[in-house]
């Protein structure tokens, strides 16, 4: 069974700092990869997705993620965070050909301080 | 835009009660999902459905059942609620092709 690891559970940054959140998955085959964000009191929203092609994907609000197949990783990055990026971030993996099931990581709570 | 609507934002029930959580989507999606979200555990899949009257168990189906009588509606049922089912419940839907899931606002359920 596939699993997803997010090693950073809580991250605190100052505004304008750079962000990198780690995501590793365990599945040897082809995968579809997602990052979702949940702002306080809001529903889960898609930040970005990778299905195929260029391993560097750009999402909304200046976020990007890089798929490194050899490392089974899909880390999320943002060069300069804002206070409004305070939220919980979830990495999710779907095994291609494995139906519609998504496996989520445990989430990373990001707090950006002014 | 896809709209996934969960019938209640907050719900308080007593142990032993039968509890129904309702979810409706407006995009004619074939697939619908129920998750529970707990701090430090992320989202865990309870059940999903890929068509009307079809259902499959997710990772934590014990104590739950589901119903999909119409394409747009997917119900989660707690047969006999227990305090360890206090959680945030999220519904999601997606179409047939490879695409992201779309989530509702969630129902925060407390079992007393």
């Amino acid at each position: 069974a596939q699993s997803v690891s997010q090693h950073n559970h809580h991250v605190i940054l100052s505004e304008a700092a750079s962000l990198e959140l780690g995501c590793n998955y365990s599945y040897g085959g082809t995968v579809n990869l997602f990052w979702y964000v949940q702002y306080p009191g809001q529903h889960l929203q898609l930040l970005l997705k990778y299905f195929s092609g260029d391993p560097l994907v750009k999402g909304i609000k200046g976020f990007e993620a890089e798929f490194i197949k050899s490392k089974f990783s899909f880390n999320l990055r943002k060069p300069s965070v804002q206070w409004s990026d305070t939220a919980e971030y979830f990495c999710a993996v779907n095994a291609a050909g494995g139906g519609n099931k998504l496996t989520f990581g445990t989430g990373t709570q990001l707090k950006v301080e002014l | 835009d896809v709209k996934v609507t969960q019938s209640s934002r907050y719900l308080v029930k007593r142990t032993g009660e039968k509890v129904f959580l309702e979810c409706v989507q407006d995009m004619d999606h074939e697939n619908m999902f129920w998750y529970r979200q707990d701090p430090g555990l992320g989202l865990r899949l309870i059940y999903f459905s890929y068509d009307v009257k079809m259902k499959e168990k997710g990772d934590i189906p014990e104590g739950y059942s589901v119903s999909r009588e119409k394409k747009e509606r997917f119900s989660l049922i707690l047969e006999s609620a227990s305090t360890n089912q206090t959680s945030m419940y999220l519904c999601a839907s997606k179409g047939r092709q490879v695409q992201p899931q779309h989530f509702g606002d969630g129902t925060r359920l407390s079992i007393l």
Side-chain angles (χ1 to χ4, degrees), chain A residues 9 32 34 36 38 41-46 49 51 88 90 94 100-107, chain B residues 9 31 33 35 37 40-43 45 48 50 59 90 94-96 98-101 103-105:
Chain A
H9 299 294
N32 302 309
F34 307 84
Y36 282 87
Q38 189 174 35
Q42 295 188 27
H43 64 273
L44 241 69
Q45 301 171 42
L46 181 71
K49 62 187 184 290
F51 293 151
E88 191 158 18
F90 294 93
N94 163 245
N100 294 294
K101 287 178 62 173
L102 269 184
T103 301
F104 282 83
T106 53
Chain B
R9 287 300 298 271
N31 301 284
F33 308 82
Y35 296 88
Q37 181 181 6
L41 297 178
L43 276 74
L45 182 64
F48 66 102
Y50 52 91
D59 300 317
L90 299 179
K94 73 178 280 291
R96 202 181 292 277
V98 175
Q99 55 184 256
Q101 293 182 14
F103 285 84
D105 287 336

Side-chain angles (χ1 to χ4, degrees), chain A residues 54-102:
Chain A
D54 188 344
L56 184 63
V57 292
K58 297 200 183 293
I60 60 171
K61 304 189 181 187
F63 286 90
E64 65 179 31
E66 185 175 13
F67 170 49
I68 304 179
K69 191 174 181 179
S70 61
K71 294 185 178 180
F72 299 91
S73 71
F74 190 55
N75 292 354
L76 182 71
R77 299 195 291 248
K78 186 171 184 179
S80 175
V81 294
Q82 300 173 308
W83 177 80
S84 57
D85 293 324
T86 294
E88 191 158 18
Y89 293 81
F90 294 93
C91 181
V93 173
N94 163 245
N100 294 294
K101 287 178 62 173
L102 269 184

Side-chain angles (χ1 to χ4, degrees), chain A residues 6 8 11 13 19-23 35 63 74-78 89-90 108-110:
Chain A
Q6 291 181 245
N8 317 101
V11 173
L13 294 172
L19 170 72
E20 181 159 3
L21 300 183
C23 173
W35 275 98
F63 286 90
F74 190 55
N75 292 354
L76 182 71
R77 299 195 291 248
K78 186 171 184 179
Y89 293 81
F90 294 93
T108 297
Q109 190 74 48
L110 171 66

Side-chain angles (χ1 to χ4, degrees), chain B residues 3 12 15-16 19 21-22 25-26 33 40 48 53 57 60 67-68 80 82-83 91-93 95-96 108 110:
Chain B
K3 185 90 174 138
V12 180
T15 54
V19 181
L21 303 184
E22 307 287 345
Q25 49 95 3
D26 67 354
F33 308 82
F48 66 102
K53 297 194 187 295
K57 292 180 180 178
I60 51 164
S67 171
R68 184 121 181 250
S80 177
S82 64
T83 54
C91 176
S93 75
R96 202 181 292 277
R108 188 166 292 283
S110 295

